[in-house]
């Protein structure tokens, strides 16, 4: 038998890592050139009516009377609106709508606070990124000014919005919260997306530095000792520009997640109803609870308007999953969102081509599958939208 010849680990994995990354960069360059910008489909009138909170008939009437935006009409007589036109129609309805009491534009008013929603769970695959992307896009289509923040160094949320963390060399939130002089204003980290009312702060691997910098900074500076307020304080600079911020947290309970939670006004915990996922979530709750208690004892109370559990990738015909949901309902009661997000191939398939359900053309997958998934997604997102509006006292 031949013995192994020991080698230096760094030599080996640095070389291999570099080669894989080069080859993937090349592949991605071919598939998705760096200057390519994502575009957005047109939305059928039924969907538009849902986002506007009006009826299809009302939209048809407006169009026939020559009011508001002019939809594209296909051969079959179907009406389609661009996302920009949806917003145009909303502004039009808001100004001219029959009942003066009905507001079509849902943006914050008077003393309404900026809503900051942290989407968290330790477990990868619990649906954080999918939930964040669809919630942010839904809120933008329903007329809110939204900022999505990708706080996961893996950058999946950024990738879904057409950013390529390794190729594009975008700034990340790290640039706005770092402790040294390289720090930039948060405004410099914000990018537009293909949804007119949705901006994003993309992620890159540099975010991970915050996990290493913070313990050092805690020893040496006041800024370090108050690390948990860094996201909240940088968001203050852009507070008037948005109604809702949705943060996709990394799958770990590190300084980034804690800092996001300290900035949050609400917390959405995504959970796939399986035994291992639930066990991991209970660990997460205990750890998070203990850390926030320590913070509170130190005089820093983390206060939320609401907390909800969202059941994700649910398959109701799977008996063990049903049992886990039953167990959650018994213990968590009112804190579970009434509507779970069902498992759907429409969502996973769309994800493979870096698209969300809202970006998918109805014909791209089986129609019944698509309709069921979109219907479920709308229901979940409208329920969360209700909580946001409730926080504004509506
Ligand atoms: N409702 C759903 N139905 C089917 N697949 C889903 C659903 N939600 C998420 N997925 C898929 O599950 C995987 C993990 O989801 P993701 O949102 O990336 O989780 P996380 O961000 O928590 O790691 C992805 O491939 C995603 O496309
Ligand atoms: Mg993720």
């Amino acid at each position: 038998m031949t013995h192994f010849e020991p080698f230096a680990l760094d030599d080996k994995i640095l070389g291999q890592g570099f080669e894989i990354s080069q080859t993937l960069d090349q592949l991605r360059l071919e598939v998705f050139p760096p200057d390519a910008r994502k575009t957005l489909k047109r939305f059928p009138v039924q969907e538009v009516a849902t986002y506007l909170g009006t009826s299809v008939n009302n939209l048809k009437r407006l169009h026939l009377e020559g009011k508001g935006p002019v939809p594209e009409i296909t051969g079959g007589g179907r009406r389609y609106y661009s996302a920009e036109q949806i917003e145009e129609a909303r502004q039009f309805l808001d100004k001219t709508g029959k009942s003066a009491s009905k507001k079509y534009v849902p943006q914050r008013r008077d003393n309404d606070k900026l809503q900051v929603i942290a989407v968290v769970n330790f477990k990868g695959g619990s649906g954080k990124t999918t939930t964040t992307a669809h919630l942010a896009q839904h809120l933008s289509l329903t007329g809110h000014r939204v900022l999505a923040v990708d706080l996961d160094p893996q950058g999946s949320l950024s990738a879904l919005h057409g950013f390529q963390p390794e190729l594009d060399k975008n700034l990340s939130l790290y640039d706005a919260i770092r402790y040294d002089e390289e720090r930039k204003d948060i405004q410099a980290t914000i990018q537009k997306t293909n949804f007119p009312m949705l901006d994003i702060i993309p992620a890159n691997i540099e975010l991970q530095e915050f996990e290493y910098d913070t313990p050092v900074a805690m020893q040496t500076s006041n800024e370090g000792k108050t690390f948990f307020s860094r996201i909240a304080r940088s968001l203050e600079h852009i507070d008037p520009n948005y109604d809702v911020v949705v943060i996709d947290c990394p799958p770990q309970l590190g300084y980034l997640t804690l800092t996001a939670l300290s900035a949050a006004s609400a917390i959405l915990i995504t959970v796939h109803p399986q035994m291992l996922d639930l066990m991991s979530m209970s660990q997460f709750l205990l750890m998070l609870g203990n850390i926030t208690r320590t913070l509170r004892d130190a005089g820093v109370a983390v206060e939320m308007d609401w907390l909800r559990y969202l059941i994700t990738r649910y398959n109701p015909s799977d008996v063990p999953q049903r049992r886990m949901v039953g167990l959650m309902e018994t213990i968590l009661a009112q804190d579970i969102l009434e509507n779970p997000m069902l498992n759907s191939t429409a969502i996973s398939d769309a994800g493979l081509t870096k698209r969300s359900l809202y970006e998918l053309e109805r014909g791209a997958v089986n129609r019944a599958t698509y309709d069921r998934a979109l219907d479920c997604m709308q229901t979940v997102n409208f329920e969360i939208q209700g909580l946001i509006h409730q926080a504004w006292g509506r």
Side-chain angles (χ1 to χ4, degrees):
M1 217 194 333
T2 52
H3 289 284
F4 286 122
E5 194 65 49
F7 56 84
L9 179 63
D10 55 343
D11 285 347
K12 181 146 200 117
I13 61 176
L14 279 176
Q16 292 181 338
F18 182 74
E19 206 166 312
I20 292 172
S21 131
Q22 288 274 299
T23 314
L24 286 181
D25 281 358
Q26 203 49 48
L27 259 176
R28 278 183 304 189
L29 268 175
E30 284 159 23
V31 179
F32 203 85
D35 50 353
R37 277 285 159 256
K38 272 195 150 193
T39 53
L40 195 53
K41 66 170 188 182
R42 284 169 187 272
F43 294 84
V45 68
Q46 292 80 359
E47 228 180 298
V48 174
T50 310
Y51 298 138
L52 290 174
T54 189
S55 65
V56 170
N57 277 338
N58 194 27
L59 285 176
K60 281 193 181 149
R61 187 182 54 77
L62 284 179
H63 176 216
L64 291 176
E65 292 174 4
K67 296 173 179 163
V70 180
E72 181 185 318
I73 304 188
T74 61
R78 293 205 179 85
R79 292 170 162 77
Y80 287 86
Y81 294 76
S82 69
E84 285 81 6
Q85 287 182 320
I86 299 178
E87 192 48 29
E88 204 184 310
R90 179 176 294 112
Q91 299 288 342
F92 181 83
L93 284 167
D94 206 59
K95 285 195 192 76
T96 60
K98 279 223 181 79
S99 69
S101 61
K102 171 144 185 169
K103 286 265 179 241
Y104 286 90
V105 174
Q107 302 181 358
R108 325 155 49 190
R109 316 190 256 271
D110 309 327
N111 298 322
D112 291 348
K113 263 193 328 180
L114 175 69
Q115 295 296 299
V116 182
I117 303 173
V119 182
V120 292
N121 196 329
F122 266 168
K123 192 112 165 58
S126 67
K128 288 180 291 298
T129 301
T130 308
T131 301
T132 306
H134 287 86
L135 176 61
Q137 294 176 2
H138 165 94
L139 288 169
S140 77
L141 289 169
T142 52
H144 305 80
R145 301 165 303 158
V146 187
L147 177 66
V149 181
D150 190 353
L151 213 55
D152 185 347
Q154 305 274 343
S156 313
L157 184 73
S158 314
L160 257 180
H161 288 91
F163 296 91
Q164 304 172 89
E166 276 135 65
L167 277 188
D168 294 347
K169 307 280 174 267
N170 291 305
L171 298 180
S172 71
L173 192 68
Y174 177 68
D175 294 281
I177 60 174
R178 58 192 295 165
Y179 299 95
D180 60 16
E181 302 78 65
E182 302 277 297
R183 191 171 54 250
K184 307 227 170 22
D185 188 83
I186 188 170
Q187 192 66 53
T189 67
I190 298 177
Q191 307 271 348
K192 297 228 160 297
T193 71
N194 51 337
F195 288 75
M197 310 273 282
L198 172 61
D199 292 347
I200 189 171
I201 301 183
N204 61 41
I205 197 81
E206 248 196 352
L207 273 169
Q208 193 63 35
E209 302 286 324
F210 191 72
E211 304 291 347
Y212 310 130
D213 295 352
T214 300
V216 178
M218 278 165 84
Q219 304 299 321
T220 55
S221 73
N222 211 37
E223 299 224 302
K225 288 188 186 78
T226 56
F227 75 87
F228 43 82
S229 65
R230 294 191 82 67
I231 295 182
R233 278 191 282 143
S234 67
L235 286 178
E236 278 170 15
H237 296 209
I238 45 152
D239 180 303
N241 305 347
Y242 299 97
D243 303 304
V244 186
V245 178
V246 193
I247 308 179
D248 185 14
C249 291
Q252 63 193 43
L253 194 51
Y255 294 111
L256 283 170
T257 301
L258 273 180
T259 308
L261 284 169
S262 307
S265 56
I267 168 170
L268 194 57
I269 303 176
T270 54
V271 56
H272 179 53
Q274 274 184 346
M275 177 78 91
L276 286 175
D277 294 69
L278 232 63
M279 280 167 64
S280 151
M281 187 182 80
S282 71
Q283 292 302 311
F284 173 74
L285 293 177
L286 293 172
M287 275 179 68
L288 179 59
N290 282 322
I291 298 173
T292 45
R293 172 140 313 157
T294 311
L295 281 176
R296 183 148 68 112
D297 291 344
V300 191
V302 182
E303 288 188 345
M304 300 284 167
D305 287 336
W306 52 265
L307 171 154
R308 287 293 183 281
Y309 297 88
L310 168 61
I311 294 167
T312 59
R313 284 166 44 219
Y314 181 35
N315 178 4
S317 63
D318 179 319
V319 176
Q321 282 197 28
R322 263 205 334 260
R323 283 188 51 202
M324 286 300 123
V325 169
L327 187 150
M328 285 180 66
E329 281 167 349
T330 311
I331 302 172
L332 306 168
Q334 304 299 318
D335 286 340
I336 308 183
L337 285 177
E338 253 170 63
N339 302 284
M341 188 61 226
L342 299 179
N343 189 66
S344 170
T345 51
I347 295 174
S348 41
D349 285 3
L352 291 177
T353 50
K354 302 266 176 282
R355 277 182 298 175
S356 74
L357 213 47
Y358 295 115
E359 294 180 289
L360 209 61
E361 301 280 352
R362 184 159 178 256
V365 290
N366 175 290
R367 293 222 158 152
T369 308
Y370 174 86
D371 288 345
R372 229 178 299 127
L374 185 66
D375 194 52
C376 179
M377 187 61 87
Q378 306 281 37
T379 314
V380 168
N381 283 333
F382 272 115
E383 190 180 348
I384 302 172
Q385 180 175 316
L387 293 166
I388 295 170
H389 289 190
Q390 202 178 328
W392 287 334
R394 294 183 200 164

